[in-house]
Amino acid sequence: MSIKEIFTAYSGITEALDNGELKTAFDLIQSLISGVQEFSCQNRLNELQDTYRYLLHYYAEGTRDPAREQIYAGIRTGAYELTDRIRYQALSPDTRIYRAHSWMFSNYHPVEIADLVERLPALYEREDPASFETSVEQLFENVWKTVFLSDGDTASLRRALADGHFPATAKCQLVSALLLGLQVSFDREKLNLLFDAAADEDPEVRIRALIAVCLTLYRYRRRTMYYSGIRHRLDALAEAPDFRRIMQTIVLRFILSRETEKVTHKIQEEILPEMMKLKFTSQGEHFGILSDFPGDEMNPEWKDFAVDDKVTKKLEEYAGLQEEGLDVLHSTFIHLKNFGFFSEISNWFLPFTLRHSCFDTQENLRGAGLETLMQASFVCNSDKYSLFLSLQRISETHRKLMMQQMDSQLSAINEQQLQELKSRQNRVECITSQYIQDLYRFYKLFPRRVEFEDIFNGTLDFHLLPALKPYLSDTETLLSIAGFYLRKGYYEDAQTLYDCLIERDAQDGILYQKAGYCRQMTGDLRGALATYLRSELFNPDSKWLLRRLADCCRLLKQPEKALDFYRRYEQLSPDTVPVLICMGHCCLEMKNYADALKYYFKADYLEPENPKSWRAIAWSSFLSGKYDQARHYYGKILDIQPQMQDFLNAGHTEWVLQQIQKALTFYRSAVQAEDGDFDKFHALFKQDIPVLVHAGVLPQEIPILLDQLRYSL
């Protein structure tokens, strides 16, 4: 069998096992064994099939067996592991990782893991950085490239992790090596070692290991639920008082990692240009706007999501993104990963230290600003190496100048803030954030990243994993996660959690509001309306809710119901111009032009210089046959800042009044407002043909006038 055929067969087997189709999986495993001639695995397959047949027989006979579920789980996990081993043996006769990744072995020299573990503490104590780093690199390489650890290797690594004197840096790198290896192929011994590391006293080792555990459980989420040992290990870790808080931090930080590419784009394409020049655009229909209210803002009463979108939207947005923990530096360091230092895979995960042998001028790389930067949570280890390696390459004069500028810029961080950076809670967040960013840079920037399955392409919704749910399902945690999803625009993810929370507390009207908002933002208007109506039972006087109810009804072509909600809003807040305009819109959609004009004129009286009211009055006047009145208001609009739609509607008005030349003039202006795009103009014009015909324009005259317009352009 070819490599492609082996992987195709492997995918078919795992899919069958994921779906619980064990008979199908066993048949496919048999075919794979025959195809690759790995008959040494035949006995294990026979054992699994025999056990399964007995289980099915006793089940069919109606025999009660309290151990049935446990036996079934063992058969299923055994089939997964057998399939892994067959694939491994078929692709790697040298008992190393798949030959498809042969580039990894070009400079690979296997070393006994036990020997490396034994010599590392002594090298560390001797303060021999180069030798110590080489040994750590060898340990990393041997661990991650060994697909299935032997009993001896496992025992050696377990002793190292349990040894309080074993260097923390080596433990951190061991965790990353285990993670990288597990992303290629499942090995329960590697996962058990990660659980060992997750109990380490050093927070750097512990948190990295917990992140690796989460990623591994996510990678193998279909199979790990059948390993009872995983639940026992997690329960043991959960006895620590800060376990759930750390897990919550991990989940939230991975949610933030989804934002990295958007943040990079925002900084480069939006924030920086907008800070130089704010630019506002508007969209219009016949009177400039569909609804005078913005259509996608959250309820300001949800205090945890209140956002000032006027004063600070651009001027302070960058600082806000950084303060929130978003990865604002990814774009900055993209082009600083070409140093030879990063050709070694293990260095992408290495905890930062100025003692590293790659720095040959450590004394010249010190300063107050740099010391502060080393402790800042928003700069990950990988980026710190990039920064210091860059500083090392420039002249001493320029380096001193840059460090002086950095000292000045970071002088605002006082001693109290530095102590806060070192606090236990911020320490957890700092380690979590930095390690996830280190992982992100490896999977996004490593030159041969295509050889690895990018973990960040998945949703990484750890809180939904059966194995992790018990530790992330309390109301406080789910509210926090849902809030992150909601604020970042992941409405489907947020809705799932809010629906879950509603099942727990069906009397919380705010939860219904947020669930309804999520449905509305994903286009489920009927679902949103139904959910908002449930919230109305608890919050009948919420102006935000009444507006959302009205908007949904309008979009669902229910203007009568929408008008009722707007009237209730108007009772709570009389003479609100946007509400009056929306009420007029509803009447307009009901073809009740007289009432529509009453609302529009009242809005115009309250705000006499509001072009939105003028547009609404002008179009309603046109539809109700009051063409002179329409002409008057279009004249006022065209004297200020006319839009393409204004010229189009003014042209309609003049045509109905038999002022053909004026109509052509306005139509030409409409085309010019679209940079001469006649097709775009024509598309909008065709939508208005029924209105023109109803106003008295003869259908046969329409193509004649359009041809005259084409000739005049």
mmCIF file of all heavy atoms in Angstrom, residues 216-247:
data_model
loop_
_atom_site.group_PDB
_atom_site.id
_atom_site.type_symbol
_atom_site.label_atom_id
_atom_site.label_comp_id
_atom_site.label_asym_id
_atom_site.label_seq_id
_atom_site.Cartn_x
_atom_site.Cartn_y
_atom_site.Cartn_z
ATOM 1 N N THR A 216 -4.188 18.105 23.861
ATOM 2 C CA THR A 216 -4.190 16.681 23.549
ATOM 3 C C THR A 216 -5.602 16.104 23.654
ATOM 4 O O THR A 216 -6.042 15.326 22.786
ATOM 5 C CB THR A 216 -3.246 15.920 24.487
ATOM 6 O OG1 THR A 216 -1.922 16.461 24.354
ATOM 7 C CG2 THR A 216 -3.203 14.441 24.142
ATOM 8 N N LEU A 217 -6.317 16.484 24.701
ATOM 9 C CA LEU A 217 -7.691 15.999 24.856
ATOM 10 C C LEU A 217 -8.573 16.516 23.723
ATOM 11 O O LEU A 217 -9.484 15.813 23.270
ATOM 12 C CB LEU A 217 -8.254 16.439 26.210
ATOM 13 C CG LEU A 217 -7.581 15.834 27.447
ATOM 14 C CD1 LEU A 217 -8.227 16.374 28.722
ATOM 15 C CD2 LEU A 217 -7.653 14.305 27.421
ATOM 16 N N TYR A 218 -8.295 17.712 23.252
ATOM 17 C CA TYR A 218 -9.058 18.246 22.121
ATOM 18 C C TYR A 218 -8.709 17.497 20.835
ATOM 19 O O TYR A 218 -9.596 17.153 20.050
ATOM 20 C CB TYR A 218 -8.770 19.731 21.950
ATOM 21 C CG TYR A 218 -9.521 20.363 20.799
ATOM 22 C CD1 TYR A 218 -10.831 20.781 20.949
ATOM 23 C CD2 TYR A 218 -8.908 20.529 19.554
ATOM 24 C CE1 TYR A 218 -11.517 21.352 19.892
ATOM 25 C CE2 TYR A 218 -9.585 21.093 18.498
ATOM 26 C CZ TYR A 218 -10.894 21.508 18.663
ATOM 27 O OH TYR A 218 -11.575 22.060 17.608
ATOM 28 N N ARG A 219 -7.417 17.243 20.629
ATOM 29 C CA ARG A 219 -6.967 16.541 19.418
ATOM 30 C C ARG A 219 -7.576 15.149 19.327
ATOM 31 O O ARG A 219 -7.947 14.692 18.238
ATOM 32 C CB ARG A 219 -5.432 16.455 19.453
ATOM 33 C CG ARG A 219 -4.801 15.588 18.367
ATOM 34 C CD ARG A 219 -4.869 16.263 17.025
ATOM 35 N NE ARG A 219 -4.122 15.530 16.040
ATOM 36 C CZ ARG A 219 -4.571 14.454 15.373
ATOM 37 N NH1 ARG A 219 -5.790 14.005 15.616
ATOM 38 N NH2 ARG A 219 -3.823 13.851 14.480
ATOM 39 N N TYR A 220 -7.726 14.487 20.458
ATOM 40 C CA TYR A 220 -8.258 13.114 20.479
ATOM 41 C C TYR A 220 -9.570 13.060 21.264
ATOM 42 O O TYR A 220 -9.815 12.145 22.039
ATOM 43 C CB TYR A 220 -7.222 12.171 21.091
ATOM 44 C CG TYR A 220 -5.916 12.157 20.326
ATOM 45 C CD1 TYR A 220 -4.815 12.878 20.788
ATOM 46 C CD2 TYR A 220 -5.788 11.461 19.129
ATOM 47 C CE1 TYR A 220 -3.622 12.887 20.077
ATOM 48 C CE2 TYR A 220 -4.598 11.468 18.414
ATOM 49 C CZ TYR A 220 -3.518 12.186 18.898
ATOM 50 O OH TYR A 220 -2.341 12.200 18.188
ATOM 51 N N ARG A 221 -10.421 14.079 21.029
ATOM 52 C CA ARG A 221 -11.634 14.218 21.831
ATOM 53 C C ARG A 221 -12.607 13.056 21.659
ATOM 54 O O ARG A 221 -13.414 12.788 22.547
ATOM 55 C CB ARG A 221 -12.336 15.534 21.500
ATOM 56 C CG ARG A 221 -12.604 15.770 20.016
ATOM 57 C CD ARG A 221 -12.951 17.239 19.789
ATOM 58 N NE ARG A 221 -13.112 17.589 18.385
ATOM 59 C CZ ARG A 221 -12.105 17.870 17.573
ATOM 60 N NH1 ARG A 221 -10.858 17.816 18.023
ATOM 61 N NH2 ARG A 221 -12.320 18.200 16.312
ATOM 62 N N ARG A 222 -12.545 12.358 20.534
ATOM 63 C CA ARG A 222 -13.471 11.251 20.317
ATOM 64 C C ARG A 222 -13.058 10.005 21.088
ATOM 65 O O ARG A 222 -13.899 9.181 21.439
ATOM 66 C CB ARG A 222 -13.545 10.918 18.821
ATOM 67 C CG ARG A 222 -14.174 12.000 17.972
ATOM 68 C CD ARG A 222 -15.639 12.213 18.336
ATOM 69 N NE ARG A 222 -16.317 13.092 17.416
ATOM 70 C CZ ARG A 222 -16.933 12.700 16.307
ATOM 71 N NH1 ARG A 222 -16.951 11.418 15.988
ATOM 72 N NH2 ARG A 222 -17.526 13.583 15.530
ATOM 73 N N ARG A 223 -11.776 9.837 21.331
ATOM 74 C CA ARG A 223 -11.324 8.611 21.975
ATOM 75 C C ARG A 223 -11.017 8.765 23.454
ATOM 76 O O ARG A 223 -11.175 7.827 24.219
ATOM 77 C CB ARG A 223 -10.089 8.052 21.256
ATOM 78 C CG ARG A 223 -8.819 8.826 21.474
ATOM 79 C CD ARG A 223 -7.571 8.034 21.080
ATOM 80 N NE ARG A 223 -7.404 7.922 19.642
ATOM 81 C CZ ARG A 223 -6.371 7.318 19.070
ATOM 82 N NH1 ARG A 223 -5.424 6.754 19.829
ATOM 83 N NH2 ARG A 223 -6.254 7.249 17.768
ATOM 84 N N THR A 224 -10.571 9.960 23.863
ATOM 85 C CA THR A 224 -10.110 10.097 25.245
ATOM 86 C C THR A 224 -11.243 9.962 26.259
ATOM 87 O O THR A 224 -10.985 9.705 27.437
ATOM 88 C CB THR A 224 -9.405 11.453 25.446
ATOM 89 O OG1 THR A 224 -10.214 12.503 24.901
ATOM 90 C CG2 THR A 224 -8.057 11.462 24.749
ATOM 91 N N MET A 225 -12.483 10.122 25.822
ATOM 92 C CA MET A 225 -13.593 9.961 26.758
ATOM 93 C C MET A 225 -13.730 8.515 27.242
ATOM 94 O O MET A 225 -14.408 8.249 28.229
ATOM 95 C CB MET A 225 -14.903 10.416 26.102
ATOM 96 C CG MET A 225 -15.395 9.514 24.983
ATOM 97 S SD MET A 225 -16.984 10.071 24.303
ATOM 98 C CE MET A 225 -16.494 11.533 23.425
ATOM 99 N N TYR A 226 -13.072 7.588 26.562
ATOM 100 C CA TYR A 226 -13.165 6.171 26.940
ATOM 101 C C TYR A 226 -12.012 5.718 27.827
ATOM 102 O O TYR A 226 -11.944 4.559 28.205
ATOM 103 C CB TYR A 226 -13.240 5.296 25.678
ATOM 104 C CG TYR A 226 -14.480 5.575 24.864
ATOM 105 C CD1 TYR A 226 -14.411 6.328 23.696
ATOM 106 C CD2 TYR A 226 -15.722 5.122 25.286
ATOM 107 C CE1 TYR A 226 -15.549 6.601 22.958
ATOM 108 C CE2 TYR A 226 -16.873 5.401 24.553
ATOM 109 C CZ TYR A 226 -16.770 6.138 23.396
ATOM 110 O OH TYR A 226 -17.905 6.422 22.678
ATOM 111 N N TYR A 227 -11.112 6.643 28.151
ATOM 112 C CA TYR A 227 -10.019 6.318 29.066
ATOM 113 C C TYR A 227 -10.416 6.773 30.473
ATOM 114 O O TYR A 227 -10.384 7.967 30.788
ATOM 115 C CB TYR A 227 -8.726 7.023 28.643
ATOM 116 C CG TYR A 227 -8.073 6.443 27.409
ATOM 117 C CD1 TYR A 227 -8.380 6.936 26.139
ATOM 118 C CD2 TYR A 227 -7.147 5.413 27.514
ATOM 119 C CE1 TYR A 227 -7.774 6.415 24.999
ATOM 120 C CE2 TYR A 227 -6.537 4.885 26.382
ATOM 121 C CZ TYR A 227 -6.857 5.385 25.139
ATOM 122 O OH TYR A 227 -6.259 4.861 24.022
ATOM 123 N N SER A 228 -10.792 5.827 31.308
ATOM 124 C CA SER A 228 -11.224 6.180 32.661
ATOM 125 C C SER A 228 -10.088 6.809 33.469
ATOM 126 O O SER A 228 -10.328 7.622 34.362
ATOM 127 C CB SER A 228 -11.747 4.943 33.393
ATOM 128 O OG SER A 228 -10.732 3.937 33.478
ATOM 129 N N GLY A 229 -8.850 6.444 33.138
ATOM 130 C CA GLY A 229 -7.709 6.996 33.865
ATOM 131 C C GLY A 229 -7.599 8.500 33.728
ATOM 132 O O GLY A 229 -7.096 9.188 34.629
ATOM 133 N N ILE A 230 -8.087 9.049 32.595
ATOM 134 C CA ILE A 230 -8.008 10.495 32.381
ATOM 135 C C ILE A 230 -8.852 11.229 33.410
ATOM 136 O O ILE A 230 -8.426 12.235 33.989
ATOM 137 C CB ILE A 230 -8.454 10.842 30.944
ATOM 138 C CG1 ILE A 230 -7.403 10.339 29.943
ATOM 139 C CG2 ILE A 230 -8.685 12.342 30.789
ATOM 140 C CD1 ILE A 230 -7.777 10.534 28.494
ATOM 141 N N ARG A 231 -10.057 10.720 33.655
ATOM 142 C CA ARG A 231 -10.916 11.355 34.649
ATOM 143 C C ARG A 231 -10.267 11.321 36.030
ATOM 144 O O ARG A 231 -10.307 12.300 36.777
ATOM 145 C CB ARG A 231 -12.286 10.662 34.675
ATOM 146 C CG ARG A 231 -13.205 11.108 35.811
ATOM 147 C CD ARG A 231 -13.507 12.601 35.723
ATOM 148 N NE ARG A 231 -14.169 12.945 34.494
ATOM 149 C CZ ARG A 231 -15.497 12.831 34.297
ATOM 150 N NH1 ARG A 231 -16.262 12.394 35.272
ATOM 151 N NH2 ARG A 231 -16.029 13.179 33.151
ATOM 152 N N HIS A 232 -9.643 10.216 36.376
ATOM 153 C CA HIS A 232 -8.995 10.105 37.685
ATOM 154 C C HIS A 232 -7.844 11.106 37.811
ATOM 155 O O HIS A 232 -7.685 11.753 38.863
ATOM 156 C CB HIS A 232 -8.475 8.679 37.894
ATOM 157 C CG HIS A 232 -9.562 7.640 37.899
ATOM 158 N ND1 HIS A 232 -10.785 7.865 38.463
ATOM 159 C CD2 HIS A 232 -9.586 6.360 37.416
ATOM 160 C CE1 HIS A 232 -11.546 6.780 38.329
ATOM 161 N NE2 HIS A 232 -10.833 5.854 37.687
ATOM 162 N N ARG A 233 -7.062 11.253 36.737
ATOM 163 C CA ARG A 233 -5.942 12.186 36.788
ATOM 164 C C ARG A 233 -6.448 13.632 36.893
ATOM 165 O O ARG A 233 -5.882 14.451 37.622
ATOM 166 C CB ARG A 233 -5.047 12.042 35.552
ATOM 167 C CG ARG A 233 -4.357 10.692 35.379
ATOM 168 C CD ARG A 233 -3.453 10.339 36.559
ATOM 169 N NE ARG A 233 -2.374 11.268 36.787
ATOM 170 C CZ ARG A 233 -1.143 11.137 36.293
ATOM 171 N NH1 ARG A 233 -0.845 10.086 35.527
ATOM 172 N NH2 ARG A 233 -0.198 12.016 36.577
ATOM 173 N N LEU A 234 -7.487 13.945 36.147
ATOM 174 C CA LEU A 234 -8.051 15.290 36.212
ATOM 175 C C LEU A 234 -8.652 15.581 37.585
ATOM 176 O O LEU A 234 -8.509 16.687 38.120
ATOM 177 C CB LEU A 234 -9.108 15.475 35.120
ATOM 178 C CG LEU A 234 -8.574 15.625 33.685
ATOM 179 C CD1 LEU A 234 -9.717 15.545 32.690
ATOM 180 C CD2 LEU A 234 -7.818 16.945 33.515
ATOM 181 N N ASP A 235 -9.318 14.595 38.151
ATOM 182 C CA ASP A 235 -9.885 14.775 39.494
ATOM 183 C C ASP A 235 -8.786 15.063 40.518
ATOM 184 O O ASP A 235 -8.961 15.891 41.418
ATOM 185 C CB ASP A 235 -10.671 13.523 39.904
ATOM 186 C CG ASP A 235 -12.018 13.434 39.214
ATOM 187 O OD1 ASP A 235 -12.492 14.461 38.700
ATOM 188 O OD2 ASP A 235 -12.598 12.327 39.184
ATOM 189 N N ALA A 236 -7.678 14.384 40.353
ATOM 190 C CA ALA A 236 -6.565 14.602 41.282
ATOM 191 C C ALA A 236 -6.011 16.025 41.132
ATOM 192 O O ALA A 236 -5.721 16.702 42.126
ATOM 193 C CB ALA A 236 -5.464 13.575 41.034
ATOM 194 N N LEU A 237 -5.874 16.485 39.892
ATOM 195 C CA LEU A 237 -5.389 17.848 39.665
ATOM 196 C C LEU A 237 -6.391 18.878 40.174
ATOM 197 O O LEU A 237 -6.011 19.952 40.657
ATOM 198 C CB LEU A 237 -5.136 18.076 38.172
ATOM 199 C CG LEU A 237 -3.984 17.286 37.536
ATOM 200 C CD1 LEU A 237 -3.959 17.533 36.027
ATOM 201 C CD2 LEU A 237 -2.646 17.668 38.150
ATOM 202 N N ALA A 238 -7.675 18.552 40.068
ATOM 203 C CA ALA A 238 -8.729 19.493 40.463
ATOM 204 C C ALA A 238 -8.775 19.725 41.963
ATOM 205 O O ALA A 238 -9.463 20.654 42.421
ATOM 206 C CB ALA A 238 -10.085 18.993 39.978
ATOM 207 N N GLU A 239 -8.065 18.936 42.722
ATOM 208 C CA GLU A 239 -8.021 19.149 44.164
ATOM 209 C C GLU A 239 -7.251 20.416 44.525
ATOM 210 O O GLU A 239 -7.428 20.961 45.612
ATOM 211 C CB GLU A 239 -7.395 17.934 44.848
ATOM 212 C CG GLU A 239 -8.250 16.675 44.761
ATOM 213 C CD GLU A 239 -7.600 15.483 45.436
ATOM 214 O OE1 GLU A 239 -6.495 15.674 45.996
ATOM 215 O OE2 GLU A 239 -8.168 14.385 45.392
ATOM 216 N N ALA A 240 -6.418 20.880 43.619
ATOM 217 C CA ALA A 240 -5.691 22.135 43.856
ATOM 218 C C ALA A 240 -6.685 23.290 43.850
ATOM 219 O O ALA A 240 -7.565 23.364 42.975
ATOM 220 C CB ALA A 240 -4.624 22.345 42.789
ATOM 221 N N PRO A 241 -6.600 24.222 44.781
ATOM 222 C CA PRO A 241 -7.600 25.294 44.892
ATOM 223 C C PRO A 241 -7.678 26.221 43.685
ATOM 224 O O PRO A 241 -8.713 26.825 43.435
ATOM 225 C CB PRO A 241 -7.152 26.054 46.148
ATOM 226 C CG PRO A 241 -5.711 25.707 46.334
ATOM 227 C CD PRO A 241 -5.563 24.313 45.826
ATOM 228 N N ASP A 242 -6.581 26.346 42.930
ATOM 229 C CA ASP A 242 -6.588 27.261 41.796
ATOM 230 C C ASP A 242 -6.753 26.554 40.457
ATOM 231 O O ASP A 242 -6.625 27.176 39.402
ATOM 232 C CB ASP A 242 -5.300 28.086 41.779
ATOM 233 C CG ASP A 242 -4.058 27.208 41.664
ATOM 234 O OD1 ASP A 242 -4.172 25.977 41.841
ATOM 235 O OD2 ASP A 242 -2.967 27.751 41.413
ATOM 236 N N PHE A 243 -7.047 25.256 40.470
ATOM 237 C CA PHE A 243 -7.119 24.491 39.225
ATOM 238 C C PHE A 243 -8.180 25.049 38.281
ATOM 239 O O PHE A 243 -7.913 25.296 37.097
ATOM 240 C CB PHE A 243 -7.412 23.015 39.529
ATOM 241 C CG PHE A 243 -7.639 22.177 38.300
ATOM 242 C CD1 PHE A 243 -6.572 21.737 37.535
ATOM 243 C CD2 PHE A 243 -8.928 21.832 37.909
ATOM 244 C CE1 PHE A 243 -6.778 20.962 36.400
ATOM 245 C CE2 PHE A 243 -9.140 21.057 36.778
ATOM 246 C CZ PHE A 243 -8.069 20.623 36.027
ATOM 247 N N ARG A 244 -9.393 25.240 38.788
ATOM 248 C CA ARG A 244 -10.472 25.708 37.922
ATOM 249 C C ARG A 244 -10.180 27.114 37.378
ATOM 250 O O ARG A 244 -10.507 27.419 36.230
ATOM 251 C CB ARG A 244 -11.795 25.686 38.682
ATOM 252 C CG ARG A 244 -12.259 24.275 39.039
ATOM 253 C CD ARG A 244 -13.511 24.285 39.895
ATOM 254 N NE ARG A 244 -13.861 22.949 40.347
ATOM 255 C CZ ARG A 244 -14.645 22.110 39.688
ATOM 256 N NH1 ARG A 244 -15.164 22.475 38.535
ATOM 257 N NH2 ARG A 244 -14.912 20.905 40.166
ATOM 258 N N ARG A 245 -9.581 27.945 38.209
ATOM 259 C CA ARG A 245 -9.246 29.289 37.745
ATOM 260 C C ARG A 245 -8.215 29.241 36.625
ATOM 261 O O ARG A 245 -8.314 29.974 35.636
ATOM 262 C CB ARG A 245 -8.733 30.134 38.905
ATOM 263 C CG ARG A 245 -8.309 31.537 38.499
ATOM 264 C CD ARG A 245 -7.973 32.392 39.716
ATOM 265 N NE ARG A 245 -6.952 31.772 40.549
ATOM 266 C CZ ARG A 245 -5.650 31.820 40.279
ATOM 267 N NH1 ARG A 245 -5.232 32.423 39.172
ATOM 268 N NH2 ARG A 245 -4.773 31.268 41.092
ATOM 269 N N ILE A 246 -7.232 28.371 36.768
ATOM 270 C CA ILE A 246 -6.222 28.229 35.720
ATOM 271 C C ILE A 246 -6.856 27.701 34.438
ATOM 272 O O ILE A 246 -6.578 28.184 33.336
ATOM 273 C CB ILE A 246 -5.084 27.301 36.180
ATOM 274 C CG1 ILE A 246 -4.289 27.949 37.321
ATOM 275 C CG2 ILE A 246 -4.145 26.974 35.015
ATOM 276 C CD1 ILE A 246 -3.230 27.053 37.916
ATOM 277 N N MET A 247 -7.739 26.719 34.578
ATOM 278 C CA MET A 247 -8.397 26.162 33.400
ATOM 279 C C MET A 247 -9.254 27.221 32.703
ATOM 280 O O MET A 247 -9.289 27.303 31.468
ATOM 281 C CB MET A 247 -9.262 24.971 33.804
ATOM 282 C CG MET A 247 -8.468 23.763 34.298
ATOM 283 S SD MET A 247 -7.350 23.096 33.033
ATOM 284 C CE MET A 247 -8.526 22.440 31.875
#
